[in-house]
Amino acid sequence: MDYFEPKTIREAVSLLARYGEKAKVIAGGTDVLVDMKFKEEPSCLVNIKRIPALSYIREDDGFLRVGTLTPIREIETSSLVRQKLPLLWEAAHQFASLQIRNTATIGGNVCRASPSGEMLAPLLVLEASAVARFSRGEKKLPFGELFLGPGQTLLGSKGLLTEIEIALPPERSGSVYLKHAVRGAMDIAMVGVAVLLTPDAGGKKAKDVRIGLGAVAPTPIRAKSAEKALRGKAMARAVVEEAARRAAADAKPITDHRASAEYRRWIVEALTRKGLAQAWKAATGKEVDR
Amino acid sequence: MSLNIRLVVNGRRHTAKINPATSLLDFLRDTLGYKGVKICCNTGECGACTILFNGKPVNSCVVLAADAAGAEIVTVEGLAEGDRLHPVQQAFIDTGAVQCGYCTPGFIISVKALLDRTKNPTAEEIEEAVSGNICRCTGYTKIVDAIQIAAERLQARS
Amino acid sequence: MAKAEYSVLGTSIPRMGGVERVAGAGIYGIDLVLPDAVRGGVLRSQYAHATIKSIDTSEAESLPGVYAVVTAEDAPDVKYGRTSNDRYMLARGKVRYMGDPVAAVAADSEATLKKALKKIKVEYEPLPVVLDAEAAMKADAPALHEEIPLPANLPKDTRVKNVCGYSTLHVGDPDRAMAEADLVVEETYETKMVHPQYLEPRIAATRHEADGRLTVWVNAQAPFGVRSEVSKLLKIPISGIRVLVTEIGGGFGGKATGTHSSAGLEPICALLAIKAKKPVMMVLDKAEETVSTTVRAPVKVWIQTGVNKDGTIVARKAKLIFDAGAYSGFGALAGSRCTQMLAGWYRTPNAHVDGYIVYTNKQVCGPVRGPGGPQAAFPVESHMDSIAAKLGMDPVEFRLKNIPKPGERIAGVPKLRDVSLGETIRVAAEKIGWGKVKLEKNQGVGIATGSWIEGSGPGGGAVVKINEDGTAAVLIGKVDYGTAPRFGIPMIVAEELGIPTDDVTVLNVDTDASPWDAGTVGSRSTLVAGNAARLAAIDARNQLLRMAAKQLEASSDDLEIKDRQIRVKGTPVKALALAAVATAAHNEIGEVIGRGYFDSKAVEAEEKEKGSSPPFTSHAAIVEVDPDTGNVKILKYVAVHDVGFVIHPQAVEGQIEGATAMSIGQALCEQVLFDDKGKTLNPTFVDYLMPTWNMIPKIETVLIKGYPGAGPYGTKGAGEIGCVPPPAAIANAICNAVGVRLTSLPLSPENVLRAIREQKGVEP
Ligand SMILES: Cc1cc2nc3c(=O)[nH]c(=O)nc-3n(C[C@H](O)[C@H](O)[C@H](O)COP(=O)(O)OP(=O)(O)OC[C@H]3O[C@@H](n4cnc5c(N)ncnc54)[C@H](O)[C@@H]3O)c2cc1C
Ligand code: FES
Ligand code: FES
């Protein structure tokens, strides 16, 4: 196995260009190392941890910028994130164990593109962008388009993720991330639901609603028909329930050894309902009308 | 291909030549002989291999040994001062939290890291600190006692 | 006996061996470093059922760095098994589950080993696979062991297949009693396969010594079993084998003996070492353990009970299908215990139970903590609640109504001496707040009881050697993995010798030096090694007192040892230092060596005459069910146990809490899953879910006193019984919370939610 510790982004990108499919980027290594032990060793390992200044959380003119090497634990303990992006905080807080959070990076979670990846549904509803470097230059890839399938992203084998760019949601919005797993945090999500809800000025209607679903399709997805059912509507119980049912229909889960497709749909419905109510409360301080 | 690294383990400097695919766990156990770092699941799930990496608890089985170049590592072997056990170690013995003892080094490191962060941990903080450590023998109940006593003793000390 | 009579018994001394464990010493099997050793590994079957057409090892053998490749051809044609010799150490002609060892390699490194294993070419001819035990009994099922006859005790005309054990129980006239009962309740239950998942991986290491003997290092619970199996399978005399036990990182029966409990590592390791002419060390990784080593067997149970209107049980009938896996392993024994327990531990004057122990193409049943117990208690104790509900009776009241009396029998215990069952129920009910605690919506309370066997079984010995400084070295055949050998045993010896526990060393097992023992299984450490060590210490004490008597000019009956002094009772000034007497002994008899043994037959005879007092337990739980997700959270958990006299309270509580948590795992989330070809779907800890901290409540253990058992000072076994009640206690609490009776484990969120929805009539 060839092994490199590039010191610059440019060096890393040229290694990826040179080795193509044969190269494997390693960041925290919590996914890569397990694969190396139980599946196969890549013929070339590109360890990007020695590239300086890729671990940061910065506020920048309406955006929060998170460096690709930022550990999940840094996100969880950042007061900036807690304050400005509680949704991301919640996902980080429910991410595996403390030990794993100290090691795993946000970039690794994004590039792994596991349908159950904890950060993905939240970033999807935040309409974040992945800032990536290719040998031809930098590209900004919106999360809505980034994921192609399990383990597959627009980065391909030659792109290097450098930053996640997140537009700060409106101040009066409310959000929540709900993870369902048998053991709680220390378990892979059977379903993850991220909700970001912005009420109208009167605090009666949902002006903008975004619902992201994890672990129920080959990629994290938005529950589009559920969102549509709510947009511009007064937040009443019946509307929320209808939206939750639609979210369940939007999901395309599979049956595997963790859960059946049917069960995952039930959970999508339950968590969407709960998530909408909680996000609404977070935004307006009010319960959803009966 | 091989790689030369330097690191500090329990205050001692080490230099070694490693295969870059090696995990930090295998390196610490097999090359440097720190057998207190236990191997179990090898997938980051059980916490038996927990060590402090620049002060933070990590699962050494899912960290590259190469990443430890320049780092300061603390394993359970590094906690006692001479014959005097660290209060967390002593508390595990005193409360009966050591049955087979195989999970114990990992637990002790997680708890030490917790008590380094906060002197008076809440139940939630304790849960957060040790949810990545599995014990198959004790049902955790005696470990709850151990953490409480360790915290009390450390508070009394400072 | 009151605690005050003893100086150390009844206190919680620090665990012997605790310091090295918390300090991270390399004392476990996995830490073993054998100079010059090479790495051994096993090639396992890729089919759950197939004939082996050919094995070509030539490519693997020619790889540089490979020292030996072995297949069945390299080993004597000897089969092994506990109740039936149905298995080879390396598959011969046929494989029967996807974990069966087919070949093994010794190589200079892990990497070469992996490469070599891949280069062994095995040609298989797949056979039909049967994974369900009920299906395996049918006429059209594939036969797994054509050459093994059906059990001789099967009733005539029983049309079954693949049955490797049959157990039955018959009392009174159950047909008539059932017909006359006021109410008959009938249910079916199911439990799933779980793996013990001790944290330390299994190892075996072997060196062929210059004198021709074999030294085998193991982290196994039954070193003498390993010795006899290696001897049998490799045709080496017992005297040619020495087994040394390392410290052990958990076992729970899964590390019981090497081969008949199906890991089969030690003989393979020995074969490799002989062929490689090098020491060989083998380590199983966790995923390999899950697919290849022994498990708690899954069962299906049909259970029927007749009761009178007043709540008196009049009859029980049950049928058990116990899935032994690919080989008989421990199946017939665990299955037989399960059969007995299906008759319950309440007064049941008429009963009939049939237990079929059946081969399937899966992992083999081992003596996993309380073998057969949870599989019986989940049906029995859930069923008790179902009956109570049908009678309109309170579950506690219904149970109390049917407590057996001293002198009566229950299944497995011909005559009860005293019965603590009722007291455990009353205490558990009180501690959980039965009928009093205010439950919120979706919260429920549940109770379940249990019992466990005691007494009969193999004997075992102990030797206590007195060093010249008056300290003692203890040799027993039991091993320590957080159990009695380094908690209770040193206390017993210290108590009898009048020395501090720090003066007692309990040595690890070396089959060349330690007394023979059947294995550290069956909650028998204190019973066997404790009784033996006590008698050995008394024997040593008597020798010391006799020698001191001359010097002190007193009768040895008037002497005692206290605080390292031999003195005349009541006249403490007339005393000799124990060390002086022990040293002086060298000139007379050499060192003082005390010997003791546990006489199994004597205990049996006494129990036959006076009856026995088995341990009983009641667990109670409060749970909260999330009606949206089916998630079950345990809010409070009480475990009440009668374990007789308590030598080391902390250790006993620890055993109970650990067993309880393990069983909560089986109740809520653990399960080995298969695809339809018999491949294990969740071999690693990523997918095999064991309870983490957040799932286990603080278990409140209450030890009931006053019912002495067969162990030293009246102790009873405590290591396994905690596993018995939890699944039913939790299922009963769930039923109380949301009104659904779950009849299949695990009580996972999906299964719970499905049941809730079905009950509500929601379209799935
Ligand atoms: C015990 C355990 C528990 C876990 N629990 C969870 C959980 O609860 N939730 C969850 O979401 N995940 C979980 N994971 C998965 C894993 O921790 C995460 O996916 C993590 O975020 C990966 O980050 P990393 O830095 O370790 O990535 P690595 O393993 O280093 O890399 C992951 C992937 O991303 C690629 N990659 C990394 N960085 C870049 C980059 N900058 N540019 C291009 N490609 C890149 C790598 O090539 C690889 O394919 C768990 C893993 C373990 C071992
Ligand atoms: S061995 Fe590293 S977490 Fe289990
Ligand atoms: S003490 Fe054995 S695993 Fe924790």
Side-chain angles (χ1 to χ4, degrees):
Chain A
M1 187 187 80
D2 288 338
Y3 175 80
F4 299 96
E5 288 184 358
K7 301 288 180 308
T8 63
I9 293 173
R10 176 196 287 263
E11 199 188 324
V13 171
S14 71
L15 281 167
L16 294 185
R18 175 138 59 94
Y19 283 86
E21 297 285 335
K22 290 200 178 117
K24 186 83 203 153
V25 172
I26 184 164
T30 57
D31 283 319
V32 173
L33 216 50
V34 174
D35 285 352
M36 278 167 61
K37 288 181 208 180
F38 290 89
K39 291 178 191 157
E40 222 167 351
E41 242 179 49
S43 38
C44 167
L45 197 60
V46 179
N47 185 350
I48 60 172
K49 285 268 256 311
R50 304 283 163 182
I51 303 175
L54 282 182
S55 173
Y56 54 83
I57 301 168
R58 258 201 310 266
E59 192 178 355
D60 170 17
D61 198 21
F63 289 93
L64 203 78
R65 299 185 182 280
V66 184
T68 187
L69 288 181
T70 311
I72 303 298
R73 178 71 172 163
E74 294 289 321
I75 296 169
E76 186 193 11
T77 51
S78 150
S79 50
L80 193 58
V81 172
R82 184 98 197 230
Q83 215 183 353
K84 305 273 167 140
L85 282 177
L87 179 55
L88 208 58
W89 174 80
E90 266 183 298
H93 189 59
Q94 295 175 70
F95 191 114
S97 62
L98 196 77
Q99 290 99 312
I100 293 289
R101 301 207 283 273
N102 276 327
T103 310
T105 66
I106 187 168
N109 199 239
V110 170
C111 297
R112 171 68 167 198
S114 159
S116 62
E118 230 68 75
M119 311 309 282
L120 309 191
L123 290 170
L124 199 60
V125 300
L126 288 164
E127 295 183 347
S129 296
V131 182
R133 277 282 275 280
F134 293 82
S135 43
R136 279 161 284 125
E138 190 170 280
K139 269 193 195 165
K140 212 179 266 182
L141 308 165
F143 264 69
E145 295 159 23
L146 184 63
F147 301 106
L148 306 175
Q152 304 282 313
T153 67
L154 283 177
L155 292 166
S157 60
K158 307 213 164 137
L160 187 80
L161 178 70
T162 58
E163 184 183 273
I164 316 286
E165 179 191 277
I166 312 161
L168 293 173
E171 289 223 353
R172 59 203 157 75
S173 64
S175 64
V176 66
Y177 177 72
L178 299 171
K179 170 177 180 172
H180 181 60
V182 171
R183 294 196 305 201
M186 195 52 209
D187 197 355
I188 293 168
M190 272 188 269
V191 174
V193 174
V195 177
L196 179 67
L197 204 158
T198 314
D200 67 357
K204 274 261 182 278
K205 290 183 182 158
K207 186 169 157 230
D208 186 21
V209 187
R210 301 180 203 163
I211 301 167
L213 307 178
V216 291
T219 66
I221 56 167
R222 290 272 289 271
K224 293 279 185 192
S225 71
E227 292 178 359
K228 206 166 137 209
L230 287 163
R231 204 165 293 130
K233 301 268 169 63
M235 285 290 282
R237 180 95 162 254
V239 185
V240 167
E241 277 174 6
E242 171 60 18
R245 274 193 294 275
R246 287 191 180 203
D250 286 336
K252 305 274 174 287
I254 53 161
T255 293
D256 64 10
H257 60 272
R258 288 182 178 269
S260 68
E262 184 182 43
Y263 179 71
R264 285 195 160 99
R265 281 219 167 84
W266 296 341
I267 299 302
V268 169
E269 182 177 338
L271 296 193
T272 305
R273 193 170 56 224
K274 192 167 160 192
L276 285 167
Q278 288 186 6
W280 183 250
K281 177 123 195 234
T284 63
K286 289 186 295 200
E287 306 291 340
V288 168
D289 285 340
R290 295 217 146 239
Chain B
M1 195 182 153
S2 67
L3 190 74
N4 285 310
I5 62 166
R6 283 156 176 275
L7 73 168
V8 173
V9 184
N10 301 334
R12 254 191 79 191
R13 254 186 269 275
H14 292 274
T15 339
K17 195 178 220 175
I18 61 162
N19 168 346
T22 311
S23 70
L24 182 53
L25 169 64
D26 288 346
F27 173 65
L28 288 170
R29 276 182 67 81
D30 301 339
T31 309
L32 300 184
Y34 291 97
K35 301 284 187 189
V37 191
K38 295 303 180 203
I39 177 164
C40 172
C41 68
N42 223 347
T43 55
E45 294 281 341
C46 76
C49 66
T50 305
I51 53 149
L52 296 181
F53 188 109
N54 292 332
K56 291 181 179 147
V58 302
N59 303 112
S60 58
C61 67
V62 290
V63 172
L64 273 187
D67 282 340
E72 276 204 37
I73 306 293
V74 175
T75 73
V76 78
E77 287 102 323
L79 299 192
E81 288 167 29
D83 281 346
R84 218 172 116 225
L85 294 177
H86 186 277
V88 176
Q89 291 174 310
Q90 192 60 52
F92 268 68
I93 294 182
D94 295 346
T95 51
V98 184
Q99 280 190 29
C100 83
Y102 202 73
C103 69
T104 309
F107 255 106
I108 287 175
I109 291 286
S110 286
V111 174
K112 181 202 184 287
L114 167 73
L115 299 178
D116 285 348
R117 290 195 296 276
T118 159
K119 286 268 160 304
N120 204 351
T122 62
E124 287 75 41
E125 284 167 327
I126 294 174
E127 180 176 320
E128 175 181 61
V130 296
S131 278
N133 292 82
I134 289 178
C135 175
R136 197 61 163 162
C137 293
T138 63
Y140 303 110
T141 296
K142 297 274 180 274
I143 302 182
V144 175
D145 299 345
I147 298 173
Q148 253 153 21
I149 286 191
E152 279 164 25
R153 288 181 187 166
L154 276 164
Q155 278 170 44
R157 232 206 215 178
S158 54
Chain C
M1 279 189 259
K3 189 161 137 186
E5 286 181 42
Y6 300 113
S7 56
V8 285
L9 300 184
T11 65
S12 292
I13 60 153
R15 178 213 206 292
M16 267 179 71
V19 173
E20 46 277 35
R21 281 167 178 76
V22 300
I27 53 177
Y28 296 91
I30 192 99
D31 302 329
L32 188 71
V33 182
L34 265 191
D36 206 28
V38 295
R39 210 52 192 275
V42 177
L43 180 73
R44 298 187 184 277
S45 170
Q46 290 308 302
Y47 289 89
H49 197 195
T51 12
I52 300 177
K53 310 254 311 190
S54 66
I55 307 177
D56 179 0
T57 57
S58 54
E59 261 190 67
E61 272 162 56
S62 63
L63 263 187
V66 169
Y67 284 86
V69 181
V70 295
T71 67
E73 294 298 313
D74 296 278
D77 188 346
V78 184
K79 283 186 178 181
Y80 70 93
R82 180 117 171 203
T83 51
S84 170
N85 284 325
D86 55 4
R87 189 159 192 202
Y88 287 107
M89 61 186 272
L90 288 163
R92 213 173 256 271
K94 208 172 165 189
V95 287
R96 294 182 179 83
Y97 78 109
M98 272 197 213
D100 239 349
V102 174
V105 172
D108 61 0
S109 72
E110 191 72 44
T112 317
L113 173 64
K114 274 192 184 160
K115 233 185 268 169
L117 289 172
K118 275 196 193 139
K119 294 237 187 268
I120 299 174
K121 297 207 176 70
V122 187
E123 202 188 326
Y124 296 99
E125 187 167 292
L127 295 167
V129 168
V130 61
L131 301 173
D132 178 75
E134 202 171 356
M137 290 170 75
K138 302 222 164 97
D140 60 349
L144 267 65
H145 295 269
E146 297 91 339
E147 72 292 358
I148 305 279
L150 288 171
N153 65 341
L154 260 184
K156 285 207 178 44
D157 315 324
T158 319
R159 285 242 176 81
V160 290
K161 214 171 171 184
N162 289 315
V163 169
C164 67
Y166 170 74
S167 176
T168 188
L169 169 146
H170 192 93
V171 200
D173 188 348
D175 286 337
R176 211 180 89 193
M178 199 66 83
E180 290 171 358
D182 292 339
L183 172 74
V184 174
V185 183
E186 182 180 323
E187 289 175 301
T188 55
Y189 286 89
E190 210 178 315
T191 71
K192 297 295 164 58
M193 179 190 290
V194 296
H195 193 281
Q197 302 292 19
Y198 34 81
L199 292 196
E200 186 207 12
R202 279 193 85 107
I203 64 116
T206 311
R207 188 165 63 203
H208 204 182
E209 306 290 356
D211 62 3
R213 297 183 83 212
L214 274 182
T215 309
V216 187
W217 288 264
V218 295
N219 53 3
Q221 291 169 246
F224 290 91
V226 170
R227 186 177 70 170
S228 60
E229 285 164 356
V230 171
S231 160
K232 178 181 168 186
L233 291 173
L234 299 185
K235 295 199 167 164
I236 296 172
I238 289 275
S239 59
I241 303 162
R242 177 187 189 191
V243 179
L244 291 165
V245 181
T246 63
E247 296 303 325
I248 301 177
F252 318 114
K255 286 179 181 164
T257 57
T259 41
H260 73 227
S261 82
S262 118
L265 219 50
E266 298 88 357
I268 297 176
C269 189
L271 188 63
L272 282 172
I274 294 168
K275 192 163 179 194
K277 300 194 168 61
K278 280 234 162 208
V280 174
M281 167 126 175
M282 299 173 82
V283 175
L284 293 190
D285 81 41
K286 277 285 142 194
E288 191 179 1
E289 295 242 20
T290 311
V291 304
S292 68
T293 59
T294 51
V295 295
R296 189 189 290 297
V299 304
K300 286 187 185 177
V301 168
W302 168 83
I303 186 167
Q304 186 190 51
T305 304
V307 284
N308 284 343
K309 275 201 199 92
D310 67 353
T312 315
I313 296 174
V314 294
R316 159 74 43 84
K317 286 192 193 177
K319 180 180 164 185
L320 164 73
I321 298 178
F322 190 95
D323 181 347
Y327 299 96
S328 51
F330 198 76
L333 299 162
S336 163
R337 178 68 196 149
C338 192
T339 305
Q340 301 288 313
M341 285 177 74
L342 284 173
W345 34 94
Y346 300 94
R347 193 193 308 124
T348 310
N350 306 286
H352 183 85
V353 189
D354 287 309
Y356 299 89
I357 296 99
V358 185
Y359 289 127
T360 60
N361 295 117
K362 303 207 296 281
Q363 284 89 318
V364 180
C365 168
V368 176
R369 205 171 204 173
Q375 297 104 310
F378 174 59
V380 166
E381 283 295 292
S382 299
H383 187 59
M384 287 297 280
D385 266 33
S386 294
I387 302 167
K390 289 243 162 73
L391 284 167
M393 248 176 118
D394 176 81
V396 164
E397 195 193 326
F398 174 51
R399 285 179 173 81
L400 288 174
K401 174 109 199 161
N402 289 285
I403 303 292
K405 293 195 173 58
E408 289 181 340
R409 61 163 294 157
I410 54 171
V413 184
K415 188 163 143 194
L416 289 162
R417 193 180 66 226
D418 43 23
V419 188
S420 54
L421 180 58
E423 189 173 343
T424 65
I425 294 174
R426 276 187 289 270
V427 174
E430 188 210 312
K431 294 274 169 196
I432 204 79
W434 192 267
K436 297 203 182 87
V437 61
K438 190 174 154 1
L439 297 168
E440 307 289 328
K441 195 163 178 250
N442 299 315
Q443 292 181 353
V445 61
I447 193 165
T449 69
S451 175
W452 196 238
I453 25 164
E454 277 276 300
S456 65
V463 171
V464 171
K465 303 200 311 164
I466 310 298
N467 300 317
E468 54 264 56
D469 60 356
T471 60
V474 184
L475 285 160
I476 50 172
K478 301 280 181 204
V479 301
D480 167 24
Y481 45 101
T483 39
R486 299 229 180 78
F487 278 106
I489 304 287
M491 295 171 75
I492 292 172
V493 173
E495 183 73 45
E496 296 301 342
L497 284 176
I499 57 178
T501 49
D502 283 348
D503 286 2
V504 182
T505 306
V506 179
L507 295 148
N508 212 335
V509 176
D510 169 350
T511 56
D512 275 0
S514 309
W516 179 90
D517 188 90
T520 311
V521 289
S523 303
R524 294 172 64 81
S525 284
T526 307
L527 178 71
V528 175
N531 266 322
R534 173 165 180 258
L535 295 176
I538 291 173
D539 182 20
R541 183 184 67 202
N542 289 342
Q543 294 178 44
L544 289 161
L545 296 187
R546 266 198 306 276
M547 276 180 274
K550 294 176 213 156
Q551 280 195 57
L552 290 171
E553 295 171 339
S555 151
S556 63
D557 292 343
D558 293 333
L559 300 182
E560 62 178 3
I561 315 182
K562 271 242 156 89
D563 307 331
R564 297 184 177 123
Q565 301 256 312
I566 299 181
R567 58 194 200 189
V568 180
K569 284 180 202 161
T571 323
V573 281
K574 281 188 82 176
L576 286 171
L578 177 61
V581 179
T583 307
H586 288 185
N587 295 327
E588 278 185 52
I589 56 165
E591 72 192 328
V592 169
I593 301 178
R595 202 221 142 173
Y597 57 90
F598 170 68
D599 184 341
S600 194
K601 289 281 170 257
V603 170
E604 250 173 73
E606 191 184 319
E607 290 192 340
K608 202 162 178 193
E609 191 199 324
K610 296 188 188 142
S612 51
S613 174
F616 286 102
T617 173
S618 294
H619 287 199
I622 296 177
V623 305
E624 180 166 298
V625 181
D626 181 337
D628 284 336
T629 62
N631 208 45
V632 175
K633 174 116 190 127
I634 304 172
L635 303 177
K636 186 176 167 76
Y637 200 97
V638 178
V640 182
H641 284 257
D642 156 30
V643 290
F645 178 76
V646 177
I647 292 178
H648 190 301
Q650 208 179 55
V652 168
E653 287 163 16
Q655 285 298 314
I656 290 166
E657 288 153 7
T660 301
M662 209 166 187
S663 196
I664 289 176
Q666 175 170 23
L668 293 182
C669 54
E670 284 181 44
Q671 178 177 10
V672 181
L673 291 154
F674 299 89
D675 71 7
D676 56 5
K677 298 202 169 62
K679 182 177 177 177
T680 300
L681 291 171
N682 56 342
T684 68
F685 282 17
V686 179
D687 298 307
Y688 185 90
L689 301 178
M690 281 175 278
T692 41
W693 181 278
N694 54 317
M695 290 180 73
I696 302 291
K698 185 151 174 131
I699 297 159
E700 297 169 41
T701 310
V702 183
L703 304 177
I704 299 283
K705 300 207 169 71
Y707 304 89
Y713 316 97
T715 60
K716 297 179 183 181
E720 298 176 289
I721 185 172
C723 271
V724 175
I730 295 167
N732 289 343
I734 293 172
C735 189
N736 183 247
V738 289
V740 293
R741 168 59 56 199
L742 279 113
T743 57
S744 183
L745 293 182
L747 311 167
S748 62
E750 175 157 358
N751 289 346
V752 172
L753 186 60
R754 198 170 287 281
I756 294 175
R757 290 175 71 103
E758 271 165 17
Q759 179 210 33
K760 279 195 200 145
V762 185
E763 277 301 300

